[in-house]
Amino acid sequence: MMTTETKTTDDDHVKIFDTTLRDGEQAPGFSMSTDAKLIVARALQELNVDIIEAGFAAASPGDSASVSAVASEIEGPTICSLSRLNVADIEASARALEPAKKKRIHTFIGTSPTHRDAKLKMSKIQILDKISDVVKFAVSVCDDVEFSPEDAIRTERDYLIEAIEAAIDAGAKTINIPDTVGYTTTEEILDLFSFLKENAKGAEDVTFSTHCHDDLGMAVANSLAAVRGGARQIECAINGIGERAGNCSMEEAVMALATRRDFYKLETQVKTTKIYQASVALARVTHNPIPRNKAIVGKNAFAHEAGIHQHGILADRRTYEIMDAESVGMPSNSIVLGKHSGKHAVASRVEALGFKVSKQKVEDIFPAFKSLADTCREVTDADLVKLVTGNGKTDGRAGPWRMRKTELHVDFEDDTRPHARITMEHDNGDRRTVTHEGEGPIDAAFAAVCTIADVPGRIHVLDLHHVAAEGVVRAEAVIDVEGKHFSGKSEEVDIADAAVAAFVAAVNQAVAIRVSSVPINNEAVI
């Protein structure tokens, strides 16, 4: 079993410099308020990353305030602010970072021919002089200074050496070599880091860092290659967010080093069991869901539908999994039932739901299972309950409750709390109406549904997708009921109706399984 936190020496410790709140946040669609940044920063603190690049203080008053807020609250990681290579930017970073117990200023200037000629209009000598002067100033206001020669990969090697040596002479403690445009290859970046480590004067006194972009889909591979070349800091972001195609994915780089320690012989200090929690926190505050097939944290990362794979996983999960889901803080591996699933998986899931079933019962329901699986992407627990008990409703419900009326109320002009009035009808004809308050109208509606159905549920995940071409909203709700998860799906024209309907479907599943498992949790019945 892989450990999630170990002590490392300087030689085998790879620092994790997380730039989710800076490079990640400046990507289109990922802008965060100060409150949102603090939520992510707390998750990074829990992860135990080495450095949090909290923002670009000189970019705006809001960014400066965010850096200051993170610096004031977060302890443990070093808090960093990005600065262009000028005195005003560095002073802005120093002011914003003042509350931090451990602080770093990260400053940069372009060094490639393209940046020198097209953007900066500066000569090589002018840039070298500026590096010497401004890095020295940065060191005078902050002991920990990192320097980046922007677009280093496309910079001439002899000049890159000169720029690096100027920064080291001025007092920089970390030298970052950014692949600003995601252009390099694994062989090339490994060779470059080896070259710089061997040839730059003072290289032995600084930490070399790698910052790779994913324009060619190689950011993680290139970052790991840089580590093999001598880098001992990886600049990365949760879920790989960042400019254009994104940055090196923090969770992928960390788990590659952890899972293949036999190859890299290096470690981070990241508490890997907190990875999924951080990934979900970022997805929620940015309203950008984690792609289902995302490595390490995606819904499919530890899920299996193919019958051969499911049979192997049930026998020994090592047959098709190189990591434990629990090691990154995810629920244990998921057997997803679909058209590729076999009888072993169906039997296993039915028993996990609390039913004692014979082999003959599985044989009896399997044709109906296959028929159902051919018509939908995934067979839910509720579907299995209906197959096993024969209690399915003609309208597809798993449980006894139907929505009859939904009224949501929110008034921004007075102090009235948001509330919802929900009417539901039971199969036995009982009709109930409940009005409930909440943090928002949908939250209030969820609470009212739980009161009516007498289910102590709370929302765990709510995914909403507007399908413009069809004019509908598809919703999936996962609820937690006394430690167990139940899911429901819906498709409605209105977003609120879709959210509530999916929640009701999940509640129905919980009710159906709770009611059905009592009389039939007996081998003689099924």
Side-chain angles (χ1 to χ4, degrees), residues 143-173:
D143 289 340
D144 188 353
V145 173
E146 175 174 334
F147 171 72
S148 290
E150 188 181 9
D151 204 19
I153 297 299
R154 297 190 296 177
T155 300
E156 309 93 327
R157 284 195 177 190
D158 59 346
Y159 183 59
L160 185 59
I161 286 279
E162 291 185 74
I164 288 169
E165 289 178 345
I168 294 173
D169 287 343
K173 292 183 178 178

Side-chain angles (χ1 to χ4, degrees), residues 109-115 148-158 160 164 176-193 196 209-213 216 222-223 226:
I109 191 169
T111 54
S112 70
T114 302
H115 281 243
S148 290
E150 188 181 9
D151 204 19
I153 297 299
R154 297 190 296 177
T155 300
E156 309 93 327
R157 284 195 177 190
D158 59 346
L160 185 59
I164 288 169
N176 180 48
I177 305 299
D179 182 16
T180 304
V181 292
Y183 181 72
T184 195
T185 66
T186 54
E187 294 87 352
E188 186 177 49
I189 200 169
L190 187 157
D191 181 68
L192 176 61
F193 271 84
L196 297 176
S209 174
T210 179
H211 180 118
C212 294
H213 280 265
L216 294 176
N222 287 336
S223 297

Side-chain angles (χ1 to χ4, degrees), residues 184-233:
T184 195
T185 66
T186 54
E187 294 87 352
E188 186 177 49
I189 200 169
L190 187 157
D191 181 68
L192 176 61
F193 271 84
S194 299
F195 172 79
L196 297 176
K197 289 275 290 183
E198 291 172 8
N199 292 282
K201 292 177 184 176
E204 67 278 3
D205 298 322
V206 298
T207 298
F208 275 86
S209 174
T210 179
H211 180 118
C212 294
H213 280 265
D214 208 34
D215 297 74
L216 294 176
M218 299 171 66
V220 173
N222 287 336
S223 297
L224 294 171
V227 166
R228 292 180 63 203
R232 286 299 177 268
Q233 176 177 288

